[in-house]
Amino acid sequence: MTITDDLSVSPAVRRSAELEQQLALDPGRFRVLTGDRPTGALHLGHYFGTLHNRVRLQDLGVDVFVLIADYQVLTDRDVAERLTEYVEGLLLDYLAIGIDPSRTTVFNHSAVPALNQLLLPFLSLVSVAELGRNPTVKDEIAHSRQSAVSGLMYTYPVHQAADILFCKGNLVPVGQDQLPHVELTRTVARRFNERYGDVFPEPDALLSVAPLLLGTDATKMSKSRGNSIALGADADETARLIKGATTDAERHITYDPELRPGVSSLVLLAALCLDRDPHEVAEEIGSSGAAGLKRTVTEAVNATMAPIRARRAEYAEDLGYVRDVLRAGNERANAVAEATLQEVRDAMGTIQ
């Protein structure tokens, strides 16, 4: 199954196809920045949307940086008290899915001061209107459980630009909904270079195979909406969540994302786990109805996740090692960030 199976052919899709060809020929010329906010457990949407791409790129020989965006959790104040738990949970998930700390740099915002210093000059390059109309920011605000939204929420896209550009990342594996963030990062890099001289690359987005996998309620799968299946969920919990997933009244199972979003998302989930075409999976289930569909999905998900769950449990028994992984990653990220910040100071003519 290719990236164009379920997405209309757009410039972003075409560019991703070109990038895949370049990756195969010369993976060493790419540096990837990707990451997650520690606001809860990673789920299957993350896994098929971007996590498996990180491992694939790492194994190709790409220089991969994975950010735990703990400073951005300040926009979700109700989860800050569980920050340590969530950070360690992300680390466990990363290691369980196959992130290799000898080849991939895992680090967190709060440990890399030079990265965060880039936010100030970058904010000077972006208008308030550009921040306000960013679709991901608008979506986060709409689903926020806070009575008021902090100013930090509006800087979120520019902070992401600093995340990508501090290490001069030139490739960002994302789902389709994150394309506006990559485009804003390209804008920041271009405006900085035009004003101060060439320092930053303009990064490209690498679209994942399943950028819009839906949650159990047939809306976007999200940690904040309570409709996701966590990577750390056990087999029984996974079965329970899939059993309660939204389908429809039509018994015969077909793959039609536009007209049957709930059913089609479950078919797609099974197809991704089985590495098969969703139309073929739907045809096999056929008249078995929602019960047959959910049985197929449950078996496929649990089979795919079983080795990941086993590795996660092993790492959870040695949290000292897990914390050492983060410390080593922070050391490398700090060195890279300091070098980039020095280039920025030189380009801007800052007196030190």
Side-chain angles (χ1 to χ4, degrees), residues 297-332:
V297 176
T298 299
E299 291 172 356
V301 171
N302 280 335
T304 298
M305 291 295 110
I308 294 174
R309 292 167 182 158
R311 288 193 295 269
R312 194 181 195 280
E314 290 179 10
Y315 285 118
E317 293 295 318
D318 190 1
L319 289 179
Y321 168 75
V322 173
R323 292 165 187 149
D324 285 343
V325 166
L326 185 59
R327 276 192 288 269
N330 286 338
E331 288 180 7
R332 185 186 180 212

Side-chain angles (χ1 to χ4, degrees), residues 70-347:
D70 57 347
Y71 267 177
Q72 287 174 3
V73 85
L74 295 174
T75 62
D76 300 87
R77 289 166 293 179
D78 56 331
V79 302
E81 64 185 26
R82 301 179 64 186
L83 191 55
T84 298
E85 172 191 340
Y86 288 148
V87 169
E88 290 182 349
L90 290 185
L91 287 164
L92 289 172
D93 286 337
Y94 294 158
L95 294 170
I97 66 167
I99 291 295
D100 180 354
S102 70
R103 294 180 290 165
T104 292
T105 302
V106 183
F107 68 101
N108 59 310
H109 264 153
S110 59
V112 188
L115 181 162
N116 297 291
Q117 282 187 257
L118 293 174
L119 180 61
L120 292 178
F122 285 179
L123 278 172
S124 74
L125 302 169
V126 180
S127 71
V128 173
E130 286 173 315
L131 294 175
R133 65 174 174 257
N134 182 278
T136 305
V137 169
K138 291 193 289 187
D139 184 67
E140 290 286 343
I141 291 172
H143 291 93
S144 173
R145 295 185 293 275
Q146 302 171 26
S147 59
V149 176
S150 72
L152 186 63
M153 177 67 81
Y154 287 93
T155 70
Y156 178 61
V158 181
H159 206 175
Q160 281 202 327
D163 298 337
I164 296 166
L165 296 177
F166 97 94
C167 64
K168 300 189 178 181
N170 56 8
L171 193 64
V172 188
V174 293
Q176 196 173 26
D177 60 329
Q178 290 289 311
L179 286 175
H181 283 298
V182 178
E183 188 55 40
L184 184 64
T185 300
R186 291 173 59 84
T187 297
V188 168
R190 183 170 59 254
R191 289 175 182 172
F192 186 95
N193 293 342
E194 289 171 351
R195 184 175 297 183
Y196 300 111
D198 289 340
V199 173
F200 297 108
E202 293 185 31
D204 281 298
L206 185 70
L207 288 176
S208 58
V209 174
L212 294 176
L213 189 65
L214 300 180
T216 54
D217 59 355
T219 67
K220 178 184 174 182
M221 190 178 289
S222 170
K223 291 180 285 189
S224 63
R225 299 181 189 183
N227 64 356
S228 60
I229 300 172
L231 295 186
D234 62 26
D236 290 340
E237 182 182 3
T238 298
R240 176 181 62 79
L241 291 168
I242 293 172
K243 184 177 181 179
T246 298
T247 53
D248 57 38
E250 186 176 341
R251 180 170 179 80
H252 191 80
I253 300 302
T254 58
Y255 182 66
D256 189 340
E258 183 175 350
L259 297 179
R260 306 184 71 185
V263 166
S264 297
S265 183
L266 287 173
V267 171
L268 178 59
L269 177 54
L272 289 167
C273 290
L274 297 169
D275 194 23
R276 296 183 58 195
D277 183 271
H279 296 280
E280 294 178 359
V281 173
E283 186 176 355
E284 282 190 8
I285 297 169
S287 60
S288 296
L293 169 62
K294 292 178 179 181
R295 183 169 56 251
T296 297
V297 176
T298 299
E299 291 172 356
V301 171
N302 280 335
T304 298
M305 291 295 110
I308 294 174
R309 292 167 182 158
R311 288 193 295 269
R312 194 181 195 280
E314 290 179 10
Y315 285 118
E317 293 295 318
D318 190 1
L319 289 179
Y321 168 75
V322 173
R323 292 165 187 149
D324 285 343
V325 166
L326 185 59
R327 276 192 288 269
N330 286 338
E331 288 180 7
R332 185 186 180 212
N334 266 296
V336 171
E338 288 287 352
T340 300
L341 182 59
Q342 187 59 55
E343 285 189 65
V344 167
R345 288 168 173 160
D346 291 343

